[in-house]
Amino acid sequence: MGDHIAMLSNPSAGKGRAGREAAAALAHLRARGADVHVFTGDSAASSEVLAAQALGEEPRVLVVVGGDGTLSGILDLLCESAVPVALVPAGTGNDLARALGLPRHDPVAAAELALSGVARAIDIGEIRTGGRVAPFLTIAALGFDAKVSDRTNRLRWPHGALRYYLALVIELLRLRPMEFTVSVDGSAPVAAPGTLVAVGNTESYGGGMPVCIGAAADDGLLDLVQVAPLSRLRLLRLFPLLLRGTHLSRPEVTHGRARSVTVSAPGLVVYADGERIGEDECTVGVRPAALTVLVPAAKETGRG
């Protein structure tokens, strides 16, 4: 493995934030005397091609400037290589960085981990659906929350947080219980009507909503959270608890851990790391210790 550092960025990620963060990170690393090879893409497809080129040069570290979506788009390549990753968070949610205790608002401190960080092996989730296998970092969302994300992505107006809230209102008006069928670790499928199912490798999605509170990125397990059928009013009352991570004690919420979860339902939409992965049916599994990330020394151990 070479002595240089590779840096991959997509300047458009995080609504342009990644370009600014990449410039600050690059300046810091070069000021510290690092030999940095820069790879700048303009789309998910180009980032995947550039990541393959960067890893082919066998760098000592790959610095990825972007959000959870940027990193998850090259996960297969990263898991096949022995190159550790230093993440400079520059997305809209940055839930993996939150889970691992990475600096989320300081690109210089995040980039410094490429030089002084501690290697930590973390698990990767994978979703099998529609003949494809998609790796993910944080949480697979199935049900109401996935439909809100889907609606948000399809709306062209308004912009920013207002678009999410409009999508939330639309999906609340359309709220119906979903006829989930769930199988855990190969058990017989069970009918489990509900509002949502979340399968988490880490605790939070959507920029800090801890739906899978207590999930660890390095325990070789997935956290399964199921919410029973709810009226619109009861769902609205549950949301503040979700935001505070105090929802698991509610009788309409069940929580468990598994290595594999298969879920199907009419109208099912599957989202992970902010991207639509599939529909109708999926199996969510885990790849233990599949990715090495450089983290602050104080965060070397503990829950994710």
Side-chain angles (χ1 to χ4, degrees):
M1 195 168 290
D3 290 331
H4 74 282
I5 292 173
M7 176 180 288
L8 174 70
S9 67
N10 178 356
S12 63
K15 301 176 182 178
R17 177 185 169 191
R20 300 187 297 273
E21 306 287 75
L26 178 61
H28 172 73
L29 291 173
R30 286 183 168 164
R32 291 268 277 124
D35 176 16
V36 185
H37 298 190
V38 178
F39 299 83
T40 305
D42 57 11
S43 67
S46 66
S47 293
E48 188 172 6
V49 171
L50 292 172
Q53 294 178 6
L55 293 170
E57 295 182 0
E58 298 186 334
R60 181 167 56 84
V61 179
L62 176 65
V63 176
V64 177
V65 185
D68 297 332
T70 302
L71 190 55
S72 66
I74 59 171
L75 271 180
D76 281 330
L77 293 169
L78 292 171
C79 292
E80 289 172 2
S81 80
V83 178
V85 174
L87 177 63
V88 178
T92 54
N94 298 319
D95 287 289
L96 180 68
R98 182 178 282 101
L100 300 182
L102 305 180
R104 289 183 287 119
H105 307 291
D106 187 344
V108 169
E112 174 62 26
L113 295 176
L115 303 175
S116 58
V118 174
R120 178 179 176 185
I122 67 168
D123 306 332
I124 296 300
E126 67 173 24
I127 300 171
R128 296 179 179 270
T129 180
R132 65 177 292 211
V133 180
F136 70 97
L137 294 160
T138 58
I139 294 174
L142 307 97
F144 177 78
D145 46 355
K147 290 187 174 184
V148 172
S149 295
D150 204 42
R151 178 73 61 177
T152 302
N153 289 345
R154 287 187 281 127
L155 290 174
R156 294 293 172 261
W157 181 91
H159 299 290
L162 289 177
R163 185 169 60 169
Y164 175 83
Y165 292 126
L166 177 59
L168 179 63
V169 170
I170 292 171
E171 291 303 322
L172 271 174
L173 293 174
R174 295 167 57 90
L175 180 66
R176 299 289 187 279
M178 295 192 66
E179 299 302 320
F180 293 115
T181 298
V182 180
S183 171
V184 177
D185 288 336
S187 63
V190 175
T195 302
L196 65 84
V197 175
V199 186
N201 183 48
T202 61
E203 286 192 339
S204 71
Y205 59 7
M209 185 180 293
V211 65
C212 293
I213 190 74
D218 56 3
D219 63 356
L221 296 170
L222 299 164
D223 279 50
L224 172 62
V225 174
Q226 297 172 258
V227 178
L230 298 176
S231 66
R232 297 180 183 91
L233 182 58
R234 288 180 69 193
L235 182 56
L236 283 173
R237 288 174 174 170
L238 184 64
F239 257 89
L241 303 181
L242 282 169
L243 292 172
R244 295 196 297 270
T246 58
H247 56 289
L248 296 187
S249 62
R250 298 292 303 171
E252 60 265 46
V253 179
T254 60
H255 173 233
R257 292 192 170 93
R259 289 181 172 81
S260 176
V261 181
T262 298
V263 181
S264 64
L268 180 72
V269 178
V270 184
Y271 262 75
D273 295 343
E275 303 293 330
R276 182 175 177 139
I277 305 297
E279 54 277 323
D280 298 331
E281 182 175 7
C282 70
T283 295
V284 187
V286 62
R287 305 177 192 172
L291 179 68
T292 300
V293 182
L294 297 175
V295 302
K299 301 293 182 179
E300 183 181 358
T301 60
R303 300 187 68 81

